[in-house]
Amino acid sequence: MIDRHAILQLEKLGKHFPVLAITGPRQIGKTTLAKQYSRNLKKQFIYLDLESSRDFERLSVAPQLFLEELADKLVIIDEVQRLKNIFPLLRHLVDVKRKPQRFLLLGSASPDMIRDSSETLAGRIAFLELGGLSIKEAGEKIKRLWFRGGFPIPFLTGDNEIRRTWFENFLFTYVQRDLPALGSPASPLVMQRLIQMLAHLNGQLLNLSTISRALGLSVNTVKTYLDFLEHGYLVRRIQPWHSNFGKRIVKTPKIYIRDSGLLHHLLNVNSEGDVFSHPAVGFSFESFAVEQIANATGKRAELFFYKEHVGGEVDLVIARGIHILASVEFKLSSGASLTKQGNKTFQAIRAKKQFIVTFDRNSGYNAGKIKICSLDDFVNRELPALLK
């Protein structure tokens, strides 16, 4: 088992809120984190899984009487989105006996859960989104993390056949059960085709017209399906940064498959060595880096990219409000440098700090105003300093 650093944030929130919620994709480690948190509390707890017919019945027949008897325990409710009418009851129970650490809710990719609980439990609930394993959690196994991704099981297994089977089963469950449970109107076959297309568009501008023609769907329908995939933690859209630079800039978002292991599975990349010889290796590293930075940043800043219609671009812009904290370009090798146009664009957006972030762990020097450093150094040292 890997100790998740999110436990520290969860413990901090638990001191102040009666209801905590851990959200994130299936199999990312929410239940393991919840049970670890409960054991650390040294408090009695009860775990209820609403995918279990027995537990579902216990909470749906006479929920108030059942939960009132558990007032002195931490109640963990897994897959809570399956019982949406539970939120008003939780609010009532919390208001009758308000104290920290009463309920811990777990939800797999449910925008409804987030919306309903936020409205019903406003001021009583704190959310923690659990992402994939971080560079810090992976330790020295960064190449393994990039290839296998941040889901604990495929990361930990040493058997590539098991890894492939795990991702096949994950995708099957995701399109056959999880997305329909969220209300997705797409057929599993269409959604599978869309996900496959997005893997080949990873790290590129999102061309909705091309996708809609390929799938025989309207642009608005594709947008709807993408919303479900984004709410389901499968893809991440990065919006363009735009300010009054006096230039025409691209206003189309970029699209990323959030988990690099899933991306490599969809692209049939079957070994760590194959990653470096694949035509999409640059986009793969970019998406891996963006996800690591996004998870480390949380809500303390926003991520964008910048691209002119004719001219340069910047892979990542880290901003807080109207202030650009850093501009980042991703390169596989520390020997890579910006083009003249790229350097000009870097200077034009006036970031406080400028970085070239590489996969090379031995990088770490300045080239004029630009600092060149490894991804793990950027995430673990440079980024925390930027976000202070």
Side-chain angles (χ1 to χ4, degrees), residues 256-291:
Y256 295 98
I257 300 291
R258 290 185 57 164
D259 184 72
S260 57
L262 178 60
L263 171 67
H264 295 147
H265 173 75
L266 291 166
L267 295 178
N268 290 316
V269 179
N270 294 313
S271 71
E272 291 181 12
D274 289 348
V275 174
F276 291 92
S277 60
H278 197 280
V281 58
F283 289 125
S284 170
F285 175 64
E286 181 179 328
S287 64
F288 173 63
V290 166
E291 191 62 19

Side-chain angles (χ1 to χ4, degrees), residues 369-385:
K369 296 181 179 179
I370 300 173
K371 181 163 187 176
I372 300 173
C373 64
S374 65
L375 177 60
D376 57 329
D377 190 39
F378 181 79
V379 170
N380 293 327
R381 296 180 59 186
E382 302 293 345
L383 189 58

Side-chain angles (χ1 to χ4, degrees), residues 64-206:
Q64 183 165 344
L65 290 174
F66 177 67
L67 290 175
E68 282 177 341
E69 293 179 359
L70 303 173
D72 294 323
K73 296 181 179 180
L74 173 67
V75 180
I76 304 173
I77 306 177
D78 206 345
E79 300 299 337
V80 70
Q81 71 276 359
R82 288 174 56 85
L83 196 62
K84 297 177 183 178
N85 60 1
I86 196 72
F87 299 118
L89 174 57
L90 296 183
R91 173 178 176 169
H92 167 72
L93 294 173
V94 164
D95 288 348
V96 169
K97 187 175 183 179
R98 184 165 186 139
K99 62 179 183 178
Q101 302 157 345
R102 285 205 61 185
F103 298 99
L104 178 53
L105 313 180
L106 312 181
S108 294
S110 175
D112 284 341
M113 188 200 83
I114 294 174
R115 180 170 59 249
D116 292 347
S117 58
S118 294
E119 293 172 357
T120 308
L121 294 168
R124 303 162 181 84
I125 189 169
F127 288 94
L128 176 71
E129 181 182 322
L130 185 63
L133 296 173
S134 69
I135 285 177
K136 186 177 289 186
E137 289 165 336
E140 296 296 315
K141 300 176 181 178
I142 296 180
K143 186 184 292 186
R144 183 189 187 98
L145 181 64
W146 177 17
F147 168 59
R148 293 179 177 271
F151 287 98
I153 292 176
F155 173 77
L156 290 171
T157 182
D159 188 319
N160 271 338
E161 186 59 36
I162 296 297
R163 176 190 61 83
R164 286 192 293 269
T165 301
W166 189 93
F167 278 117
E168 287 169 4
N169 291 334
F170 173 84
L171 281 172
F172 179 83
T173 303
Y174 188 85
V175 300
Q176 294 284 342
R177 187 176 68 175
D178 292 350
L179 287 175
L182 290 174
S184 170
S187 73
L189 180 60
V190 169
M191 194 59 83
Q192 179 76 44
R193 290 179 59 199
L194 174 58
I195 293 170
Q196 192 71 54
M197 287 187 66
L198 294 176
H200 290 278
L201 296 172
N202 179 69
Q204 302 177 50
L205 295 177
L206 179 60

Side-chain angles (χ1 to χ4, degrees), residues 21-32:
I22 306 174
T23 62
R26 184 182 298 276
Q27 300 292 320
I28 204 67
K30 299 185 299 296
T31 303
T32 302

